Amino acid sequence: MSLPPATGAVELGSFKQHVIRLLTQSKRLDGRPFDSIRVPHILYENRQDTKINRVLASTLYTDDTGTCVNCIVTGVFGPPPPQHPEEGRLTVEVTAPFFPGYSAFQIEGTLHELARFVRSTIISCLDLTELCVISGEACWVLRVELIVMNADGGLRAATLHAAVAALHNLTLPKARLPSGDVVESRCLCFHRIPVAATIGLCGTAGSMQFLLDTNAAEESVADVLLTVVIDETDGIVSFLHHGRFPLLLPHLTDAIDMVASHGAALRSAILKSSNLPQ
Amino acid sequence: MSRASLRRDGRGHREMRGKELRTSELTQFDGSAWYSQGLTTVVAAVNGPVAARQEDYRKCGVQVYVNRAVRIPRAGGTDRLCVEEQRVEQRRMDAEVEMFLTASIQAVVRLDQFPRCVLEVHVTILADDGALLSVATNALMCALLDAGVPCRTTVAAVSIVALTPEDGSPVTAPTTTTTTTAAPEASSLLSSSLPLALLLDPTRVEEGGDGVRTCATATFVLSNSADGSNNSSGGVLVSQLQTCPRSSMHGGRMSSKDLVGMVALAERAAVSIFSFFRKCNVPLE
C-alpha cells in the first residue's frame, strides 16, 4: 500500500498501460536496472538553532527521484506507560499535507498504518528503557513527526529510513525535572539498524520479474508487493507482502536475499550522513 | 508457559483454538459471517458490489470499515496523555487490520468483473484475544462466500508466534557494553543452532510475550490448492511478520530459514481451516 502515483495530466489508466508496456520490454520508468536501489540521502539540520523549540533532531530524507520525507523529533518529560513503567514512550505521527486531490479516507488509513509500521519496527530495534529517567515516575516522551512531502513509491522504507536516521545517535539533552532534579544528557543507540526496501513482482509472459525498490507507478501495476526490513546480521525485522497471486517459499527467500545484498549500502547511506555533524 | 510442553490453556504448540462460524445472520447486508477462534470474535458484513463513483473506473473499488465493540474509554487526570496514546494506538491497529483486509480482498475477489462499482465491507471486532488479523480474514472470507461475490480462490489465515527454544541457557539482560557485544553473539549461536519454537493460533498473552523469548508474530493468508487436494495449500497470498520489541537484545534473531518454517506450519494449519469451512457448508433443506 502506498499513495497513488502522481500522473499529472495523464489519466491513471493510460499511465498504467504505459508502465506495463515498458516492463514487458524489460525497462523501468526511470531507466534503472531491475535490481538496483535508489540510494537515499539524509540532510541533517543544525541542532543549535532549534534547541529552543525542544526539537532534538530534524532530518530530510531524499533519494534521486522524487521521494522527500521530513522527520522531526521532539522530546518532553512525561509519565511512563502503565504497562511498562521502566520504559520511555515513543510516538510516531505521519502526515501528508500535499496530497489534497485523493480520497481523504484512503490517505488517512494509509498514514495510520504507516505510523504503526514505523513505530513497531523502531521499538523492536531500540531499547526503550534508555528513555527512562525515574522508573515509574518520569521518562522521556519522544515524538517522531514524519511529513511526507513527496512520495514516489517505497513509502514504508522511506519513512523508516528517515526516522532511523533521526533517532540514531540522538542526544537527549541535559534537563531539569519539575521536581528540581537534574537529568544528565544521554545518547540514544540502536542495538540493530533496520533497513527496508520494497520489491515488486510482475508475472508477465509466464516469467517472474523482481523489481527492487519500486516507485509509485510500478507499485500500481505490480502483481505482488513485498516490504522487507532486515538488520546487520541479515535477520528479518519485519516482512509484509500482498499480491494478486500466491507466492511459494523460494520467492519469499529470494526477495529477502535481494534486500540483504543491498543492506550494507543502505545502512552506510543512512548512518554516514547522520554522523556528519558530530 | 508451562514446563510440560503445554500452553496456559492446555493446548499443544501446534493446536488451534475452537472455531465457530455463523453466516447469513445480518439480513440487511448481502452477506455476513460471525467467526470466532477461542475468545477472538469478529463479525464481517459485505455489501455490493454496488454502483458508485470513483477514480479508477476499470475495476471494482474496495472499502473496508473496521470498528470495535469495545474501545478504550477516555480518562482524566495524570493518565490522560497515556490513555490517549493507547486510544491512538488502538485506532492505528484498526487501520492495520483495514489495510490487511483490503489487500486480502484485492487478492481474492475478481474485481475486474465489476467496473464502476464499490465493494463495501464492515468488520466489527467483538473481542480481541490474539490472532486478530487471521480471525478477521477468515470471517471476511466466509462473508464474501455468503454474499456470492465471485472469488478466484478461498483463503485461510493463520497466526503464528515464534519463540526462542527453551533448551538453551537462560539469557540475562546485558548490563554493560562488553556483555552487550558478547551476549548477542552467544545467543545468536544458540538460536541459530536450534530452530525457533512456533506457537500456532496465539492468544493475546502469548502475542505480548514475556519480553525475552518471544521473537516475532506473523500472520499468513494461504490460498486453497488448485487441485483440491487436502495435503497442501496453494501458496501465500498476504503475509505480515513483525519482530517483538525487547527480544532482539537477547539474541532473538529471525532468519529466512525460520520464515520458511513458519510458512510451512501455516500451510499445514490452513488445511484444517479449509476442512472446517467445508464442514460448515451444509445445504439448507
Side-chain angles (χ1 to χ4, degrees):
Chain A
M1 300 288 173
S2 76
L3 303 177
T7 63
V10 184
E11 196 187 31
L12 185 60
S14 307
F15 198 75
K16 287 181 177 180
Q17 295 297 322
H18 175 60
V19 176
I20 290 172
R21 208 178 308 119
L22 283 182
L23 289 177
T24 52
Q25 303 168 17
S26 299
K27 283 189 278 185
R28 296 177 84 169
L29 202 64
D30 46 5
R32 281 188 291 144
F34 275 20
D35 55 350
S36 76
I37 55 170
R38 298 170 289 183
V39 179
H41 303 286
I42 306 288
L43 303 180
Y44 212 91
E45 189 175 333
N46 192 357
R47 290 185 230 168
Q48 306 300 323
D49 306 334
T50 58
K51 199 164 277 188
I52 305 173
N53 303 325
R54 303 178 307 195
V55 174
L56 304 180
S58 179
T59 56
L60 192 72
Y61 171 97
T62 55
D63 53 28
D64 293 333
T65 60
T67 303
C68 186
V69 181
N70 190 5
C71 178
I72 298 170
V73 181
T74 56
V76 293
F77 286 128
Q83 301 94 10
H84 304 284
E86 75 281 356
E87 290 186 351
R89 281 157 55 192
L90 182 81
T91 62
V92 178
E93 303 282 336
V94 182
T95 53
F98 302 115
F99 293 88
Y102 300 113
S103 165
F105 178 78
Q106 178 190 348
I107 295 295
E108 189 180 349
T110 303
L111 297 183
H112 273 309
E113 195 265 340
L114 200 60
R116 180 171 163 85
F117 167 78
V118 171
R119 186 185 183 273
S120 58
T121 305
I122 285 177
I123 67 175
S124 68
C125 301
L126 189 63
D127 188 10
L128 287 182
T129 56
E130 294 182 9
L131 300 177
C132 177
V133 175
I134 303 174
S135 183
E137 295 283 336
C139 72
W140 278 102
V141 183
L142 290 190
R143 179 187 160 97
V144 180
E145 189 170 348
L146 292 153
I147 304 169
V148 181
M149 299 184 175
N150 195 16
D152 190 23
L155 200 54
R156 287 196 185 101
T159 48
L160 180 67
H161 291 160
V164 166
L167 287 171
H168 188 68
N169 281 338
L170 178 77
T171 302
L172 303 172
K174 186 176 179 179
R176 186 182 295 269
L177 283 169
S179 62
D181 297 333
V182 176
V183 181
E184 294 297 326
S185 69
R186 199 180 306 177
C187 194
L188 208 61
C189 288
F190 282 83
H191 54 265
R192 54 179 187 173
I193 311 289
V195 289
T198 304
I199 297 178
L201 238 168
C202 293
T204 57
S207 68
M208 297 280 203
Q209 283 180 342
F210 280 95
L211 304 171
L212 186 55
D213 198 9
T214 54
N215 51 27
E218 289 161 353
E219 282 177 10
S220 60
V221 303
D223 295 312
V224 180
L225 279 175
L226 305 100
T227 302
V228 184
V229 189
I230 54 171
D231 59 359
E232 298 100 328
T233 65
D234 292 342
I236 303 167
V237 178
S238 185
F239 182 81
L240 297 153
H241 132 253
H242 69 273
R244 248 168 270 175
F245 49 81
L247 284 190
L248 301 179
L249 284 171
H251 300 128
L252 304 183
T253 52
D254 286 347
I256 296 168
D257 293 340
M258 279 182 78
V259 182
S261 60
H262 293 277
L266 281 167
R267 200 167 287 110
S268 62
I270 293 169
L271 300 184
K272 177 187 66 176
S273 308
S274 70
N275 287 328
L276 279 183
Q278 297 164 7
Chain B
M1 207 73 58
S2 56
R3 285 285 166 178
S5 184
L6 282 185
R7 293 197 250 179
R8 193 176 300 201
D9 47 4
R11 290 185 285 148
H13 278 21
R14 309 291 172 91
E15 198 177 335
M16 295 189 76
R17 291 177 285 183
K19 300 184 277 290
E20 191 174 351
L21 171 64
R22 285 187 253 159
T23 54
S24 306
E25 288 202 346
L26 307 180
T27 54
Q28 69 267 35
F29 290 95
D30 294 333
S32 70
W34 183 100
Y35 183 73
S36 74
Q37 281 179 203
L39 292 181
T40 307
T41 307
V42 174
V43 176
V46 172
N47 251 349
V50 293
R53 174 185 172 182
Q54 47 152 347
E55 294 177 4
D56 193 3
Y57 57 86
R58 296 173 187 238
K59 62 174 189 175
C60 187
V62 179
Q63 201 71 262
V64 179
Y65 304 97
V66 176
N67 283 297
R68 283 179 188 258
V70 179
R71 287 203 179 268
I72 301 178
R74 294 184 183 271
T78 56
D79 287 337
R80 190 183 74 253
L81 289 180
C82 290
V83 173
E84 196 59 38
E85 270 181 28
Q86 292 172 41
R87 284 170 56 90
V88 168
E89 197 63 32
Q90 197 183 46
R91 221 172 294 139
R92 284 177 181 168
M93 188 170 183
D94 294 349
E96 187 184 33
V97 175
E98 192 178 293
M99 290 291 153
F100 195 85
L101 295 182
T102 304
S104 303
I105 293 175
Q106 287 173 354
V108 165
V109 178
R110 310 188 62 168
L111 299 171
D112 44 318
Q113 293 189 351
F114 303 95
R116 293 187 175 87
C117 291
V118 165
L119 183 72
E120 272 192 359
V121 178
H122 297 260
V123 176
T124 304
I125 302 166
L126 297 181
D128 182 7
D129 191 39
L132 178 64
L133 287 175
S134 59
V135 174
T137 309
N138 290 330
L140 172 69
M141 187 69 236
C142 301
L144 288 170
L145 293 176
D146 187 54
V149 179
C151 304
R152 293 188 185 96
T153 179
T154 52
V155 297
V158 179
S159 286
I160 294 173
V161 157
L163 310 166
T164 49
E166 207 171 334
D167 311 332
S169 60
V171 183
T172 57
T175 51
T176 59
T177 311
T178 54
T179 56
T180 301
T181 54
E185 295 297 324
S187 302
S188 294
L189 294 179
L190 277 180
S191 59
S192 59
S193 59
L194 295 171
L196 296 179
L198 302 177
L199 296 185
L200 191 64
D201 196 15
T203 58
R204 191 188 188 110
V205 176
E206 288 159 355
E207 269 184 359
D210 53 359
V212 175
R213 290 189 59 210
T214 310
C215 289
T217 57
T219 301
F220 301 101
V221 177
L222 301 122
S223 74
N224 211 338
S225 54
D227 49 18
S229 67
N230 289 332
N231 300 321
S232 66
S233 73
V236 191
L237 268 173
V238 187
S239 64
Q240 183 184 34
L241 185 147
Q242 182 67 49
T243 50
C244 296
R246 296 177 293 271
S247 69
S248 58
M249 287 189 303
H250 312 308
R253 307 286 169 179
M254 167 70 56
S255 63
S256 297
K257 198 179 0 176
D258 300 315
L259 177 69
V260 167
M262 289 172 101
V263 175
L265 175 62
E267 283 178 348
R268 289 199 297 270
V271 173
S272 70
I273 301 183
F274 284 130
S275 59
F276 174 75
F277 288 162
R278 243 174 257 122
K279 290 192 187 92
C280 291
N281 191 21
V282 180
L284 299 176
E285 296 183 358

